[in-house]
Amino acid sequence: MFLLYRRLPSFARTTTTLLCKSMEPAISTATSSFGGGSSRLSALAQQLRRYKPPPSSSFDDAEEMQTDQETAGKVVSQVGFQESIAPVSKDPERFKPKRAAVLICIFEGDDGDLRVILTKRSSKLSTHSGEVSLPGGKAEEDDKDDGMTATREAEEEIGLDPSLVAVVTSLEPFLSKHLLRVIPVIGILRDKTKFNPTPNPGEVEDVFDAPLEMFLKDENRRSEEREWMGEKYLIHYFDYRTGDKDYMIWGLTAGILIRAASVTYERPPAFIEQCPKFKYPKMVEKHTCMP
């Protein structure tokens, strides 16, 4: 699974950050209406609609851009691309990650807790096989916004009808080590009884749900310190058991869910996230979180 960082500064600038900042991704007004559901879900929808990611900043420093151009190629090779096939140093404007979106679908459980829908990827997939993820995928040309990308992919992967989901907001973008900009879209499932999971066997092996608040607690959590580009950071792992099945939620998915839980419950996690100081090409955009 992808690794996660927070708030990417430009290549020539190093910053220590506590929270992930970003541009505000597009959300369809057509999918933002909320009707039905419990009073708690209605209140949550209103709360989340008020959430606004900080706007992105622009950079006009010529010296900084020159540094970006000179060193971007080396960074790309360090994050997973072969330097020989990444023409970044010759044309930095081409160093723009593809866009994707994932759906953080929240619903109210039988005990009144807030829960989120997760999937276990098919073991037949060539990348991240058997790992836990949020439904979602790459944007297509016909997608008018991130909300459409996330709900379309969720329908394709697990049979979740987009009409059942009220898209209320989206979070800061996260950037995978493969330079895919992932937009977490928060949606509320108004009536869970109308959703009968039908996983696409080519993509999804299992569909399950977990308590969202779990990603703020220090229970059943462990972390591993790693180092990348001279900076140390933590990767968080959450062990979750439901019925007779055990799941491990980590990397990109865990990082997004920690952020989503913090925004939903309006409080920070009970553990230290330890985000690194980081150098990265500004073409990726300053306020993008990096796994």
Side-chain angles (χ1 to χ4, degrees):
M1 189 62 66
F2 301 135
L3 310 181
L4 285 180
Y5 296 88
R6 292 293 175 88
R7 189 175 177 178
L8 298 186
S10 65
F11 204 86
R13 188 177 299 174
T14 304
T15 323
T16 302
T17 59
L18 299 177
L19 292 176
C20 204
K21 307 294 184 182
S22 81
M23 60 181 182
E24 181 180 350
I27 284 293
S28 168
T29 55
T31 56
S32 294
S33 60
F34 187 84
S38 69
S39 58
R40 182 183 185 185
L41 291 180
S42 297
L44 178 62
Q46 294 178 13
Q47 171 200 320
L48 291 174
R49 284 201 191 101
R50 292 193 294 268
Y51 174 76
K52 301 293 182 182
S56 60
S57 300
S58 60
F59 297 87
D60 299 314
D61 192 297
E63 181 179 354
E64 183 176 287
M65 174 61 82
Q66 182 179 359
T67 304
D68 289 345
Q69 294 177 5
E70 292 173 351
T71 53
K74 294 182 179 179
V75 174
V76 171
S77 72
Q78 291 184 50
V79 298
F81 283 92
Q82 296 179 15
E83 190 170 349
S84 61
I85 64 172
V88 177
S89 57
K90 296 180 181 180
D91 185 4
E93 287 303 313
R94 295 180 63 181
F95 190 67
K96 294 181 179 179
K98 293 183 179 180
R99 198 176 186 93
V102 293
L103 180 64
I104 305 166
C105 188
I106 300 173
F107 67 94
E108 193 170 15
D110 293 336
D111 296 329
D113 58 335
L114 297 178
R115 306 185 68 84
V116 60
I117 296 174
L118 295 166
T119 71
K120 181 178 180 181
R121 290 168 60 86
S122 170
S123 57
K124 299 178 181 179
L125 292 172
S126 58
T127 58
H128 309 294
S129 60
E131 295 185 355
V132 172
S133 67
L134 290 155
K138 293 181 181 179
E140 296 183 355
E141 291 185 3
D142 294 337
D143 294 341
K144 60 183 178 181
D145 55 35
D146 300 313
M148 177 172 285
T149 300
T151 54
R152 174 184 55 75
E153 286 286 337
E155 183 176 28
E156 294 175 4
E157 290 181 7
I158 61 176
L160 178 57
D161 187 342
S163 67
L164 298 177
V165 181
V167 173
V168 290
T169 193
S170 58
L171 305 179
E172 298 84 344
F174 283 69
L175 189 70
S176 80
K177 66 178 181 180
H178 300 296
L179 303 185
L180 182 68
R181 182 180 292 129
V182 181
I183 312 298
V185 174
I186 298 182
I188 295 179
L189 179 61
R190 293 165 291 203
D191 187 351
K192 65 178 181 178
T193 63
K194 294 183 178 180
F195 172 47
N196 181 27
T198 53
N200 180 337
E203 299 183 55
V204 176
E205 187 173 299
D206 196 10
V207 181
F208 66 101
D209 57 84
L212 183 61
E213 193 175 14
M214 176 180 77
F215 300 98
L216 295 179
K217 298 179 179 180
D218 206 17
E219 303 168 8
N220 302 316
R221 184 197 67 89
R222 52 197 168 89
S223 61
E224 178 182 336
E225 186 176 71
R226 294 189 183 182
E227 183 173 328
W228 191 44
M229 296 177 64
E231 297 294 339
K232 293 182 179 180
Y233 60 94
L234 291 178
I235 294 185
H236 301 279
Y237 300 78
F238 294 87
D239 296 307
Y240 179 61
R241 183 175 181 84
T242 176
D244 59 350
K245 296 182 179 180
D246 294 301
Y247 300 97
M248 182 175 67
I249 306 164
W250 69 293
L252 177 65
T253 300
I256 289 176
L257 289 171
I258 291 171
R259 182 63 180 150
S262 297
V263 170
T264 299
Y265 287 96
E266 299 182 299
R267 71 174 192 266
F271 49 85
I272 297 174
E273 292 184 77
Q274 189 175 325
C275 302
K277 292 181 291 183
F278 190 65
K279 297 179 180 180
Y280 209 75
K282 82 179 184 182
M283 288 75 75
V284 171
E285 295 183 7
K286 179 180 180 182
H287 300 304
T288 300
C289 307
M290 169 95 188

